[in-house]
Every structure is written in C-alpha cells, then in structure tokens.
Amino acid sequence: MKTAAQAEAYGGVPGAAYDPCYHQVCDNLRGDGQNKALYDALREDYQLTGNVNRFAFDVNADAVATSVLTFAFDTSTLPAPAAPAPTMSRVAALSDETRQAA
C-alpha cells in the first residue's frame, strides 16, 4: 500500500495498492472493471490507458531496449554464468556412477 509520504513524493493515492488491478479482471487496456473513483484519482497524477501508466511504460520500454542493444554487442561487463544447480536426474546419475565405481 502506498503511504501518504510516497503519494506526496511520487503521486498516486495514499492507502491504495501500487497496482490496484494487478492480475485481476481490471488489469486491461480498456479500463473494464476498474474502481472508477480510484482510477479517476490516479488519472490526476498519471497518464493512463486502462490501468497502464503510459509514462512508466515508455521509460521501462526504453530501458529494456537499451539493455538489449548494449548486451547484443558486448557482454564483457556481465559476470560469468554460475554453474547450474544439480537437478534430481543429475543427482541420481551421480549416485549411479558412485555405486558402479564402488
């Protein structure tokens, strides 16, 4: 839930969920099923299409595009991949190999 201080700093409605329609029927681009009073209040601070904040969507889409473009050409700044965790089939195979070696 958004606090009064967070609403003051970032916009939105104090006491409301950060994403009131998250994974619910009203989580759509048309606004079907939304709490009208809540979304009217949210529209005072945000540009919404349905329950999607268009500004936040644009900022995040740009961030994703930048990271894809960056790492498509150079992954040298990424850490080395970790070894995969053992799966049950690998654990069983190792147990079989150990038994056969004994």
Side-chain angles (χ1 to χ4, degrees):
M1 296 293 188
K2 189 171 278 194
T3 66
Q6 291 168 326
E8 179 68 29
Y10 307 111
V13 177
Y18 290 108
D19 186 353
C21 286
Y22 183 71
H23 283 231
Q24 295 184 40
V25 127
C26 57
D27 197 359
N28 60 68
L29 295 174
R30 296 175 309 276
D32 300 343
Q34 292 176 347
N35 176 324
K36 182 169 173 21
L38 174 58
Y39 273 84
D40 285 346
L42 289 170
R43 282 185 188 87
E44 292 177 15
D45 292 325
Y46 306 113
Q47 296 176 348
L48 301 176
T49 297
N51 75 318
V52 175
N53 178 328
R54 292 190 309 260
F55 177 76
F57 181 82
D58 182 53
V59 167
N60 286 296
D62 291 348
V64 168
T66 298
S67 63
V68 168
L69 184 62
T70 298
F71 295 121
F73 291 100
D74 181 11
T75 59
S76 65
T77 59
L78 296 175
T87 61
M88 288 308 292
S89 60
R90 288 180 61 205
V91 169
L94 290 173
S95 296
D96 289 345
E97 288 173 16
T98 305
R99 279 194 297 263
Q100 290 173 0

